[in-house]
């Protein structure tokens, strides 16, 4: 499954498929980006991060891609599982202000069995 | 167990009655911060603290105060709560002396209702 455009509130995918969640960030001065996962009734949980001097970073079953030209970030989840169902947020941190974190609106990922 | 602990988890209060939401972390983290989460508005940063005695405003600081007298605690104070402060609040911490680096650990959230 793949989200169309820069952001969709909900993405529905079949179990076992790959998921792609997109995020448009707001500030060209941002140089550090983080993806979080929030399950119902819980606090956000760190998934993966990337700095602006990189285009791609891989973790376990997840990959983050950064396109600074169009200020776009994506999170790819391989072989999506029911446990991946959650809301996913991207967040950006401005260069020179490493304490201030700006979150995107979030995308709900629904995994169909 | 490494964790960020918030109290209370749920609170219903009335307009104008001062309240404090406590936040404590046991990871010796330098950085701590508070967020509120509202439907349609996502997570917004209220205040953050890079270190003891150092605090700074996030995007929505109005109506809130914080203090960082010791490294492990970062309480959020609502001096005179109003209904528009009804929200789900999260505290978070991160290691690193220059702000957020790597993993940001969140608490379980405090759901506050102001009548």
């Amino acid at each position: 499954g793949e989200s169309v455009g820069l952001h969709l509130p909900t993405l529905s995918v079949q179990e076992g498929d790959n998921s792609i969640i997109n995020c448009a960030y707001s500030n060209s001065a941002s140089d550090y980006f983080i993806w979080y996962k929030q399950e119902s009734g819980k606090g956000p949980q760190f998934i993966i991060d990337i700095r602006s001097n990189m285009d791609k970073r891989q973790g376990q079953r997840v990959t983050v891609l950064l396109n600074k030209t169009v200020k776009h970030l994506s999170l790819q989840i391989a072989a999506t599982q029911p446990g991946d169902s959650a809301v996913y947020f991207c967040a950006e941190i401005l260069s020179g202000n490493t304490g201030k974190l700006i979150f995107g609106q979030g995308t709900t990922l629904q995994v169909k069995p | 167990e490494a964790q960020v602990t918030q109290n209370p988890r749920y609170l219903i209060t009335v307009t104008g009655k001062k309240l404090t939401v406590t936040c404590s972390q046991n990871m010796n983290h330098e950085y701590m911060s508070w967020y509120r989460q509202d439907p349609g508005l996502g997570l917004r940063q209220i205040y953050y603290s890079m270190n003891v005695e150092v605090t700074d405003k996030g995007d929505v600081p109005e109506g809130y105060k914080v203090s960082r007298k010791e490294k492990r605690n970062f309480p959020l104070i609502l001096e005179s709560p109003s209904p528009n402060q009804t929200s789900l609040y999260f505290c978070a911490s991160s290691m690193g002396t220059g702000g957020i680096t790597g993993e940001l650990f969140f608490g379980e959230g405090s759901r506050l209702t102001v009548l």
Side-chain angles (χ1 to χ4, degrees), chain A residues 26-75:
Chain A
S26 56
N27 200 313
S28 55
S30 295
D31 66 354
Y32 182 40
F33 305 89
I34 311 173
W35 278 101
Y36 294 95
K37 171 187 180 183
Q38 186 176 23
E39 296 174 310
S40 181
K42 295 187 176 182
Q45 181 182 9
F46 172 90
I47 302 173
I48 192 168
D49 58 359
I50 188 168
R51 296 212 175 260
S52 59
N53 60 353
M54 302 173 71
D55 296 322
K56 178 180 179 179
R57 190 161 188 226
Q58 287 185 287
Q60 189 176 11
R61 275 202 310 120
V62 295
T63 301
V64 55
L65 299 178
L66 175 62
N67 185 331
K68 295 180 286 291
T69 303
V70 294
K71 293 190 289 184
H72 183 258
L73 199 63
S74 69
L75 177 71

Side-chain angles (χ1 to χ4, degrees), chain A residues 32 38 97-101 105, chain B residues 31 37 40 45 48 98 100 102:
Chain A
Y32 182 40
Q38 186 176 23
N97 191 348
T98 54
K100 200 163 184 180
L101 187 63
Q105 287 298 304
Chain B
Y31 176 90
Q37 186 171 31
Q45 192 177 45
Y48 62 94
I100 303 166

